Amino acid sequence: MLGKYAAIFMSVVLIMAMVTSVSADASLSVQTQSGNKDEASLSLGVERLLTEETDLVSGKKVGLITNPTGVTQELESIVDLLYHHPDVDLTAMYAPEHGVRGDKQAGEYVEYYIDEYTGVPVYSLYGETRKPTEDMLENVDVLLFDIQDVGTRFYTYIYTMAYVMEAAEEYNIPVVVLDRPNPLGGQKVEGPVLHPDFSSFVGMYPIPLRHGMTVGELALLFNEEFGIGSDLTVVEMEGWQRWMYYDDTPLHWVLQSPNMPALDTALVYPGAALIEGTNVSEGRGTTKPFELIGAPYINSTELAETLNDLGLPGVTFRAASFTPAFSKHAGKLSNGVQIHVDDRDVFLPVETGLHIVKTLHDMYPEDFAFINPWGDYFFDLLIGNDQTRLGIMEGESVETITSEWASDLQSFKEMREQYLLYPEHNRGRSPGSEDHPGRGAQPPSQN
């Protein structure tokens, strides 16, 4: 009899242990996922504007700078939300590169038009006019900026924002920036700080290629450090942490531009886009822009082997061939590589891009070329100096080239800290587990 009860007791203990184990696993799974995907843990600037900060727009004539990325987590357009809001008068919209609806290719001129759905005039800020004029602002009480950035210096939306801030200061109009995540996270800062001699619309200010800041943080930095001085308000997010990449949030990926189809594109973009300054295709006209690079004169297998032999952290190169539908080498079979990011936490996109450019230069000296379609080498405008191109041409190593950036980069890191709005948390920790440092606080230095 005792043996029977002992067997029953052991069975109960075993079942309880199994239940406890399953519960623990489930709890761990929920905890891990909630740190990354719990929608309640993140509020975007646009969402906080319409729920907590409505006084910024209520009873006012609003001018809106946005594009298809200006949406809530439920993918509701800010255009529609403002147009239908009973206390808001949406009187003007302003189109950055690619247009308000995102239907323009890179470099394509955006014209003035009337938005079909709202009847609101849309003024171009890409082309002949990049800063709103007095006529464009005559029926506006406040300017709203709501565009998703990609975390790279030569993405032009942040300079549209800067020009809007300049116009706002000139015509005494308050400007409100609705903050959004940096898709590349807010920790890593890479690449050379732009030299003022190479200022352009793909790099107006001395910041590094990968700046590790949100648009709101950049707005504060631009306003103070570069003398804009506008009446600026940043509506901060809640729940975003600096370690988070875009897919660590509950947000859907909305194309920031026609050639930014996925987070994988944004991950390689700070370095792979340097290929745009050469006669090698950066993959425009394919389904993998910036992940695919190539040209008709390249041997795919040799290039992949050479790049993989460099042992660059967090990345593998696969021999690939493709035929671009448009842009460089359109309709021609191009051979090269696809960039596969294996570990984004150690991957260095800027240095990787430089290694690619230098390898192409060294392997194909008779065919490879830096291009200068506008009188300036486009590579120099992208990288922010001419020393890098000259160093590659003179046979310097990438290590030597990057060492020349170190001092300016460190100075930028120290300067940016006073404009960081969001705290540093360890991955997986609850967003509310530490006090928010607030504007002007001094969180630990990001490397």
Side-chain angles (χ1 to χ4, degrees), residues 44-339:
L44 297 171
V46 60
E47 294 164 343
R48 295 195 60 238
L49 172 78
L50 296 173
T51 57
E52 305 171 43
E53 305 286 348
T54 53
D55 59 301
L56 294 170
V57 291
S58 292
K60 298 177 181 178
K61 297 176 181 178
V62 176
L64 175 65
I65 306 93
T66 193
N67 69 1
T69 66
V71 293
T72 66
Q73 295 181 62
E74 290 74 34
L75 300 179
E76 300 169 296
S77 170
I78 185 174
V79 175
D80 299 337
L81 292 171
L82 293 180
Y83 180 69
H84 292 293
H85 197 289
D87 298 325
V88 176
D89 186 7
L90 182 62
T91 57
M93 291 191 287
Y94 304 89
E97 184 177 6
H98 308 295
V100 166
R101 303 295 181 184
D103 56 347
K104 306 294 184 182
Q105 276 293 340
E108 188 174 343
Y109 178 65
V110 179
E111 298 180 351
Y112 168 87
Y113 63 96
I114 300 295
D115 183 63
E116 292 184 5
Y117 179 74
T118 63
V120 173
V122 180
Y123 300 96
S124 172
L125 297 182
Y126 188 77
E128 296 178 1
T129 303
R130 290 178 176 170
K131 181 165 70 173
T133 65
E134 185 174 11
D135 289 342
M136 293 179 183
L137 299 171
E138 64 179 357
N139 197 31
V140 170
D141 297 325
V142 61
L143 286 163
L144 285 184
F145 181 92
D146 187 24
I147 294 179
Q148 176 65 59
D149 185 40
V150 299
T152 302
R153 184 183 67 215
F154 39 63
Y155 215 58
T156 62
Y157 297 148
I158 58 176
Y159 307 117
T160 295
M161 178 179 70
Y163 277 130
V164 167
M165 291 164 58
E166 288 183 3
E169 191 280 329
E170 291 176 14
Y171 300 109
N172 197 30
I173 299 173
V175 58
V176 178
V177 173
L178 307 180
D179 213 3
R180 291 181 174 272
N182 184 324
L184 307 182
Q187 293 179 313
K188 291 187 178 180
V189 181
E190 291 182 67
V193 173
L194 179 137
H195 190 284
D197 289 347
F198 296 88
S199 177
S200 73
F201 198 51
V202 291
M204 284 176 57
Y205 299 123
I207 63 175
L209 277 185
R210 183 178 181 181
H211 48 71
M213 302 179 76
T214 67
V215 288
E217 293 171 337
L218 283 174
L220 293 170
L221 186 148
F222 290 173
N223 205 44
E224 182 68 23
E225 297 294 332
F226 306 128
I228 297 177
S230 64
D231 179 2
L232 171 66
T233 299
V234 175
V235 180
E236 301 175 27
M237 297 176 285
E238 288 185 351
W240 187 76
Q241 302 171 34
R242 307 207 73 83
W243 62 264
M244 290 181 174
Y245 286 79
Y246 201 82
D247 57 1
D248 291 314
T249 76
L251 301 175
H252 297 280
W253 185 267
V254 179
L255 274 72
Q256 294 91 340
S257 59
N259 292 290
M260 195 60 60
L263 176 58
D264 287 345
T265 320
L267 290 174
V268 302
Y269 183 70
L274 296 174
I275 297 296
E276 292 195 77
T278 76
N279 64 350
V280 176
S281 168
E282 66 277 4
R284 291 185 190 273
T286 75
T287 59
K288 293 287 185 180
F290 304 108
E291 294 179 70
L292 287 170
I293 64 163
Y297 59 79
I298 293 174
N299 183 305
S300 296
T301 302
E302 290 180 357
L303 179 61
E305 289 178 351
T306 302
L307 290 172
N308 284 324
D309 286 345
L310 295 175
L312 301 178
V315 63
T316 301
F317 301 92
R318 179 183 64 84
S321 296
F322 56 92
T323 303
F326 57 86
S327 195
K328 294 179 196 168
H329 310 303
K332 297 180 181 179
L333 180 64
S334 296
N335 306 304
V337 296
Q338 182 173 350
I339 305 168

Side-chain angles (χ1 to χ4, degrees), residues 390-404:
L390 295 174
I392 291 173
M393 296 175 71
E394 292 168 3
E396 291 184 1
S397 67
V398 170
E399 291 72 22
T400 298
I401 293 171
T402 57
S403 68
E404 298 171 351

